[in-house]
Amino acid sequence: MPVDSTLPYDDQNVFARILRGEIPCNKVYEDEHALAFHDIAPLAALHVLVIPKGAYVSWDDFSAKASDAELAGFVRAVGEVARIVGADTQGYRLLANTGKRSGQEVPHLHVHIFGGQPLGPMLAK
Ligand code: AMP
């Protein structure tokens, strides 16, 4: 069920619970600003999620309200994660679903990193 990313942050969402250590994740990377882990239902040979540690519902929320340090830290973390998993040399795709029409399901900003195989067209026609 797609979320309304204009709603206030819900601290019971699954990624908030992962950040608090209440439920496990298959961690790839963590620093001051970001946590990265394998998607529980991968859609490509490589499918990793990168989330900011701050309470942001979506890319829209994050880009409007995060500090410069959070923005820079998160963007650097996404690139670092792609290098850690070896996606940088073969190419990868970033995706951040934002709001109802995108199909966003978890109301905590997450960037998908897809790779590990040829990824085909950007969107299904
Ligand atoms: P989106 O549709 O962009 O909101 O993507 C949400 C993603 O979160 C989906 O690809 C799910 O498979 C993934 N997901 C949901 N719960 C978990 C979890 N506990 N651990 C890892 N990935 C999850």
Side-chain angles (χ1 to χ4, degrees), residues 37-88:
F37 48 90
H38 289 278
D39 196 289
I40 203 166
L43 296 173
L46 170 77
H47 186 176
V48 172
L49 302 173
V50 191
I51 67 174
K53 290 209 165 163
Y56 298 102
V57 177
S58 68
W59 183 264
D60 183 62
D61 190 24
F62 182 67
S63 60
K65 296 182 190 155
S67 68
D68 288 354
E70 288 175 302
L71 289 163
F74 184 67
V75 171
R76 287 197 187 282
V78 173
E80 179 66 9
V81 171
R83 286 186 288 275
I84 287 170
V85 297
D88 57 321

Side-chain angles (χ1 to χ4, degrees), residues 4-67:
D4 181 348
S5 65
T6 64
L7 292 176
Y9 187 79
D10 169 12
D11 68 4
Q12 293 306 308
N13 78 77
V14 65
F15 294 167
R17 298 188 65 205
I18 286 175
L19 280 170
R20 291 195 296 267
E22 294 170 7
I23 55 176
C25 69
N26 187 359
K27 191 195 299 187
V28 173
Y29 176 80
E30 181 170 15
D31 67 17
E32 179 188 354
H33 294 292
L35 174 68
F37 48 90
H38 289 278
D39 196 289
I40 203 166
L43 296 173
L46 170 77
H47 186 176
V48 172
L49 302 173
V50 191
I51 67 174
K53 290 209 165 163
Y56 298 102
V57 177
S58 68
W59 183 264
D60 183 62
D61 190 24
F62 182 67
S63 60
K65 296 182 190 155
S67 68

